[in-house]
Amino acid sequence: MPRKAQTWDDYDSAVDQIILAPTDSDFLDQLIPVLKDAAVSGRTASLTQSLSQYAEDREGDIERIGLTKHEEFLGSVNQLQKVREGTVALTSEILDLNQSIQSSTEKLAAQKQALVNTRGVRQNITDVSDALKESLKIMHVVNNAHELIRKKKYYGALKSLEDLQNEYLVPIIQNKYATQYRLADLIQKSIPASQKTISEAVMTDLNTWLYRIRETSQFLGEVAFFHTEQRRDRQKKRVEQNDYLSHFRLNSAIELVYDESSEYDVLDNDEVQVDFTPLHEALHIHEALGQIEKFRADYAATRRQQKELLMPNSVNLLSDDDGSSLSALLEGIAGFAIIERATMQRAPQLRSTVDVDELWDSMCQNAIRLISKSLSEVANAEVLLKIKLVIALFIQTMEGWGYSISMLNSFQLTLFYKYAELLKRRFSEDFQEIVSTDDYMPMAINTLEEYEKVLNVSWFTQDTPPEELTFPCVLPFSQMYPLCCIDIRNFLNQFYFFSDDHFQQPNVIDETLRKSLDELLTEKVCQSLVERLNSQYLGQIVQILINLEHFEIACQELEQLLIRARSSTSAGGPVILRATEQFRSNKKTAEKRIFELVNSKIDDLVDTSDYEWMATSRPTEPSNYMQTLTRYLSNIMNSTLLGLPREIKELIYFDALSHAANKILALPLSSDVRKINPNGVAALAKDVEHLSKFVASLDNAFMLEQNLDELQQTVALMQSDNHDEFFDISTRNKKYGRVDAMNGPILLEKITQAVDNPARAPAPLSNFGSRFGLR
């Protein structure tokens, strides 16, 4: 029984089976029944439509792949077009064959032969299909690479392109007859463009990262400063618990070991997080592309530009509230430098020590230039101290990151000199005001508390224990002395405020402090006191002398204090304040001024003596001027000069008595006095006796009485009845040894026994020469 012919309801599935037939014989075996069925059933058009639809679908797939996946894939369209043309030709042949079958079954053998001829076309379709599959694999890899770029997985994209080259493109290109040769060649030529796209995308992300860290630099620096301050506080507490740790400054090995338990990552904390992933990715990509040198140069240029943008045109040293403040500047530099150091540690092949240190030095130089330019605006030592403290915090922070701080330490010397000058100027004004407003009166103390305060701030010591004192009491110096002592101590303290772990210039500090203190004491205290010695008030001059005495003691104490306070690394030897000698020498000046005022008063009193040298009667009591003179000497010693040291008072007494004696002795020697009778001599003798008794009542009278020897012996000579004794050398040396050899004869020539003659008559000196053997 003949086999029933197979029929098909849908030629689409039949076409798929025909095309996918594994061999030529299978191809024909499947094709002929389909053609026969189409011819018999009159559905040739349906078969033709199914073949055309298959061809169009494959063409559409190819076009879609080429347009959506890679632009260069369009080159393969030409090859596929040829396949389409073959398909169309095959369709035409099938139609012709169908017509032939319809017209005559006898032509079946001929048409079968024609179908056999289509084996070559079928092979072409198979080749195209294989080529299409391989092309799809290539395009899939290409599209995958671009998808990775879109997802910012740049290294994966680069690796995908590399795999594409090694696994597909290179083997195909090496075989010029390969079906995918043109496609592989086009894609291979597009690889550099794809790599450039990856490079540019990476750099775009890196530039975004660089911009963000530039904007974050100041805040990062602020966080770093805060961390340093916390370390300072911890170190301070450790020193309070163990004084030995005071020998180790911040950032020393000991401090770092102690602080290990308080780990804090400035770059990754609750306040700020710096992610270096974009940098690492860009570095990795450029290393893979063999462009590391170019990338290093571009990155360095970008950081230099950012460094320039970081530096302002000026800095406001008087404000901490705006972006132009010193804190903002140094925080920005610190943040920038920390990023640089962290980059060098994480990617040494990108940033070398030389590169980073070069940027650091440049920023330090610019910062110093800006600060120096604005220093002229600073006229307050406290403001300058704040500036120094900010710079010190900056130094300590950056030293912890391994940066050289020598340039900044050197600049601190400039700040120190400026600070010293401002301090000296301010305290000069203070000293000037204290000296000018002083009352130059002994300082009154009302309570024990006040007394102890004075002792604490000054260099005054007293033998009497405080509990034995009766208040109110009076201290020898005026209030300017303790006030100046307070200022001196404040000056010392504020001077040493400038010194810290990182301002290691002990010799400079000690010497500048000595010079500044010397200038203040010499020019503003000592010189101001000396200028007031022109006063006519003895009490004021005495008070100045007392103050000078105590300032001299204070200077001596200061010399010892400076020796104890100077650094262990300073040069040894004594500390000598020029002011000490200035106060000492000007004490002599004050003493001379006291002598001048006392002697001037003595002169005024003696000038009022008005002796009657030819008096008609003897006086019964001392002259008024002599009584006033002794009262004056007694009063000033017990009041005005009371606060002076004993030796100075004795010296003043000694000089005053010597001057008074000479002044009194000069009265009868005056050329206006021509004759002196016994009554006149008696009046003078009465006054000299009164003066002698007064001196005898004084302490240390034995020494003071020597000043009156000449006056007493001269009066005795004038009272003597035997004037010839004076001209006998042996007798004169015994009785009148202190009488001046020239003055004695002059006075003897004036002596007369007449009582009623006027004292103004001229006296002959006829026997003056003969008594001395003169011819």
Side-chain angles (χ1 to χ4, degrees):
M1 182 177 179
R3 186 177 58 182
K4 186 177 178 180
Q6 185 178 0
T7 61
W8 285 270
D9 294 332
D10 181 8
Y11 288 125
D12 291 340
S13 59
V15 170
D16 290 337
Q17 293 177 1
I18 293 169
I19 296 301
L20 296 176
T23 64
D24 292 343
S25 60
D26 291 337
F27 178 82
L28 291 175
D29 290 342
Q30 293 184 31
L31 177 62
I32 292 173
V34 174
L35 290 175
K36 184 177 180 180
D37 180 77
V40 172
S41 62
R43 291 189 294 161
T44 306
S46 178
L47 177 59
T48 303
Q49 183 180 0
S50 294
L51 290 171
S52 299
Q53 184 63 42
Y54 182 87
E56 288 176 358
D57 289 345
R58 301 290 77 75
E59 181 181 1
D61 290 339
I62 294 172
E63 289 180 354
R64 184 168 59 258
I65 292 172
L67 292 174
T68 61
K69 301 303 182 178
H70 199 284
E71 189 176 8
E72 287 79 4
F73 185 68
L74 295 177
S76 64
V77 173
N78 293 333
Q79 184 177 357
L80 295 176
Q81 186 64 31
K82 294 179 181 179
V83 176
R84 183 182 181 188
E85 292 173 357
T87 304
V88 172
L90 176 61
T91 302
S92 178
E93 290 177 6
I94 292 173
L95 291 174
D96 292 341
L97 180 60
N98 183 49
Q99 291 174 358
S100 176
I101 292 174
Q102 288 180 347
S103 61
S104 175
T105 56
E106 287 83 2
K107 295 179 181 180
L108 182 58
Q111 289 182 2
K112 183 177 180 179
Q113 182 63 42
L115 288 175
V116 172
N117 292 337
T118 61
R119 290 178 179 176
V121 176
R122 177 185 175 279
Q123 184 63 46
N124 289 340
I125 293 175
T126 301
D127 292 342
V128 170
S129 179
D130 293 341
L132 182 60
K133 291 178 181 178
E134 293 298 322
S135 299
L136 287 174
K137 291 180 181 179
I138 296 173
M139 293 306 299
H140 176 73
V141 176
V142 172
N143 288 335
N144 183 59
H146 284 275
E147 180 66 15
L148 291 173
I149 294 174
R150 187 182 67 80
K151 294 180 178 179
K152 298 184 179 298
K153 297 180 178 180
Y154 302 117
Y155 186 73
L158 197 63
K159 183 64 175 174
S160 181
L161 291 177
E162 182 182 352
D163 293 341
L164 174 64
Q165 285 182 297
N166 296 334
E167 295 180 14
Y168 295 98
L169 301 183
V170 174
I172 293 174
I173 291 174
Q174 289 176 348
N175 181 10
K176 293 186 178 181
Y177 301 100
T179 306
Q180 298 87 7
Y181 177 82
R182 292 184 61 191
L183 176 63
D185 185 56
L186 287 173
I187 295 176
Q188 175 65 28
K189 290 179 180 178
S190 71
I191 292 295
S194 298
Q195 291 176 336
K196 183 178 180 182
T197 300
I198 294 174
S199 176
E200 291 174 349
V202 168
M203 288 305 296
T204 299
D205 288 353
L206 180 64
N207 288 333
T208 301
W209 179 78
L210 286 171
Y211 173 77
R212 288 175 179 170
I213 64 169
R214 181 171 72 85
E215 293 298 308
T216 310
S217 290
Q218 182 181 341
F219 184 60
L220 176 61
E222 184 180 348
V223 171
F225 283 7
F226 176 73
H227 174 54
T228 301
E229 288 180 333
Q230 288 184 318
R231 289 175 55 202
R232 280 179 173 177
D233 293 341
R234 290 194 292 268
Q235 179 68 359
K236 182 179 180 181
K237 291 179 181 178
R238 287 191 289 265
V239 171
E240 291 174 355
Q241 297 172 358
N242 184 354
D243 185 63
Y244 179 71
L245 294 179
S246 62
H247 296 89
F248 304 100
R249 59 185 181 84
L250 208 68
N251 294 318
S252 65
I254 297 297
E255 186 272 334
L256 292 175
V257 169
Y258 269 97
D259 212 56
E260 281 181 346
S261 58
S262 304
E263 291 186 2
Y264 183 85
D265 190 347
V266 174
L267 296 166
D268 186 12
N269 51 75
D270 294 338
E271 302 295 332
V272 63
Q273 299 85 34
V274 179
D275 183 9
F276 285 86
T277 300
L279 177 63
H280 290 304
E281 191 167 47
L283 180 62
H284 205 172
I285 291 298
H286 285 84
E287 282 181 337
L289 293 174
Q291 299 175 356
I292 186 62
E293 292 300 327
K294 180 179 181 302
F295 177 68
R296 182 186 293 116
D298 291 344
Y299 184 85
T302 300
R303 291 299 279 168
R304 282 195 296 270
Q305 291 174 356
Q306 289 190 328
K307 183 264 295 183
E308 295 299 329
L309 293 174
L310 180 68
M311 306 305 296
N313 294 325
S314 62
V315 60
N316 186 354
L317 299 179
L318 304 178
S319 173
D320 289 331
D321 301 329
D322 55 31
S324 64
S325 69
L326 177 63
S327 294
L329 171 65
L330 297 183
E331 287 167 358
I333 293 175
F336 186 96
I338 289 172
I339 292 292
E340 282 295 290
R341 185 65 76 191
T343 301
M344 188 193 76
Q345 294 170 351
R346 289 167 169 79
Q349 70 274 34
L350 176 63
R351 300 296 282 162
S352 67
T353 303
V354 174
D355 295 333
V356 174
D357 288 346
E358 180 182 351
L359 277 181
W360 166 251
D361 289 342
S362 175
M363 290 189 292
C364 288
Q365 290 171 359
N366 287 336
I368 290 172
R369 176 181 57 81
L370 290 171
I371 297 172
S372 300
K373 183 179 178 182
S374 300
L375 270 182
S376 58
E377 303 172 1
V378 180
N380 187 290
E382 283 72 19
V383 173
L384 192 64
L385 183 59
K386 291 180 181 179
I387 292 171
K388 187 267 173 188
L389 293 176
V390 173
I391 294 177
L393 180 61
F394 174 63
I395 289 174
Q396 290 178 324
T397 300
M398 301 319 296
E399 186 187 36
W401 282 89
Y403 283 104
S404 171
I405 57 172
S406 57
M407 188 185 307
L408 294 169
N409 274 339
S410 297
F411 179 62
Q412 283 197 104
L413 192 59
T414 301
L415 294 179
F416 173 71
Y417 286 135
K418 174 77 172 180
Y419 179 74
E421 185 61 32
L422 291 177
L423 267 187
K424 190 169 66 174
R425 185 186 307 170
R426 195 193 84 188
F427 279 93
S428 293
E429 296 172 356
D430 289 350
F431 282 129
Q432 193 71 37
E433 182 178 0
I434 291 172
V435 173
S436 63
T437 57
D438 191 55
D439 58 5
Y440 293 96
M441 296 287 290
M443 187 175 181
I445 300 296
N446 297 315
T447 64
L448 176 61
E449 183 180 3
E450 290 181 9
Y451 179 77
E452 290 177 343
K453 286 182 179 179
V454 173
L455 292 185
N456 289 333
V457 300
S458 66
W459 287 274
F460 171 68
T461 57
Q462 190 162 288
D463 295 336
T464 305
E467 57 274 10
E468 296 181 9
L469 292 175
T470 302
F471 296 97
C473 66
V474 175
L475 297 180
F477 43 77
S478 65
Q479 64 180 359
M480 69 164 289
Y481 173 70
L483 290 177
C484 285
C485 288
I486 292 173
D487 260 16
I488 290 171
R489 292 183 185 275
N490 288 337
F491 180 78
L492 294 174
N493 291 335
Q494 294 195 33
F495 220 97
Y496 282 112
F497 280 162
F498 200 92
S499 177
D500 60 23
D501 290 343
H502 286 277
F503 185 59
Q504 299 176 358
Q505 302 280 353
N507 291 331
V508 172
I509 293 177
D510 295 340
E511 182 60 19
T512 305
L513 174 57
R514 186 196 64 78
K515 287 183 178 179
S516 299
L517 188 59
D518 225 352
E519 291 178 12
L520 286 173
L521 292 172
T522 302
E523 298 175 7
K524 301 304 175 182
V525 179
C526 186
Q527 189 60 37
S528 296
L529 289 174
V530 171
E531 290 173 357
R532 283 163 174 74
L533 290 177
N534 293 325
S535 171
Q536 298 298 318
Y537 296 101
L538 178 63
Q540 183 173 353
I541 304 301
V542 169
Q543 195 60 61
I544 291 174
L545 174 59
I546 295 173
N547 288 349
L548 288 171
E549 172 76 19
H550 284 87
F551 276 117
E552 179 190 358
I553 296 172
C555 285
Q556 294 170 348
E557 294 292 335
L558 280 171
E559 289 174 344
Q560 299 304 313
L561 178 63
L562 292 176
I563 292 175
R564 294 191 299 271
R566 66 186 174 189
S567 171
S568 59
T569 59
S570 298
V575 174
I576 298 176
L577 291 174
R578 185 168 51 94
T580 307
E581 180 57 34
Q582 287 291 316
F583 283 115
R584 183 180 298 117
S585 63
N586 282 303
K587 280 197 318 181
K588 300 297 182 182
T589 304
E591 291 173 9
K592 290 180 181 178
R593 180 60 179 157
I594 292 174
F595 296 158
E596 290 176 2
L597 290 177
V598 172
N599 292 341
S600 176
K601 180 65 175 178
I602 291 173
D603 290 345
D604 292 342
L605 292 173
V606 174
D607 287 343
T608 63
S609 59
D610 194 24
Y611 281 106
E612 292 185 24
W613 300 110
M614 295 297 292
T616 57
S617 62
R618 291 176 177 268
T620 58
E621 61 183 14
S623 303
N624 288 334
Y625 92 90
M626 181 56 68
Q627 296 181 46
T628 304
L629 174 61
T630 54
R631 264 197 316 271
Y632 169 73
L633 292 176
S634 176
N635 289 339
I636 62 172
M637 288 302 171
N638 294 318
S639 59
T640 308
L641 305 181
L642 184 63
L644 291 177
R646 177 186 178 87
E647 61 273 13
I648 295 180
K649 287 193 293 186
E650 290 179 352
L651 185 61
I652 293 173
Y653 250 138
F654 189 89
D655 183 82
L657 292 172
S658 176
H659 182 77
N662 291 333
K663 185 70 175 179
I664 295 171
L665 185 59
L667 292 174
L669 287 170
S670 173
S671 60
D672 293 337
V673 179
R674 303 301 177 87
K675 289 292 183 177
I676 304 174
N677 67 16
N679 293 335
V681 173
L684 179 61
K686 193 73 173 178
D687 289 342
V688 171
E689 179 186 9
H690 178 78
L691 180 60
S692 300
K693 289 180 179 179
F694 169 74
V695 173
S697 67
L698 299 176
D699 294 337
N700 204 12
F702 174 77
M703 182 189 71
L704 296 176
E705 286 175 335
Q706 298 176 15
N707 290 291
L708 303 181
D709 286 349
E710 182 181 4
L711 179 61
Q712 290 172 333
Q713 291 180 14
T714 300
V715 171
L717 175 63
M718 295 173 67
Q719 290 178 316
S720 173
D721 293 334
N722 186 5
H723 293 174
D724 290 337
E725 290 180 341
F726 181 75
F727 299 102
D728 185 323
I729 298 299
S730 60
T731 305
R732 184 176 68 184
N733 288 338
K734 182 178 179 181
K735 297 180 63 175
Y736 310 112
R738 298 296 300 275
V739 177
D740 185 87
M742 297 297 293
N743 292 338
I746 294 174
L747 290 172
L748 292 178
E749 286 292 331
K750 295 182 179 184
I751 298 299
T752 179
Q753 296 301 319
V755 176
D756 53 351
N757 292 334
R760 303 299 180 184
L765 299 176
S766 57
N767 61 349
F768 176 77
S770 61
R771 291 184 178 181
F772 284 89
L774 300 177
R775 297 289 186 268

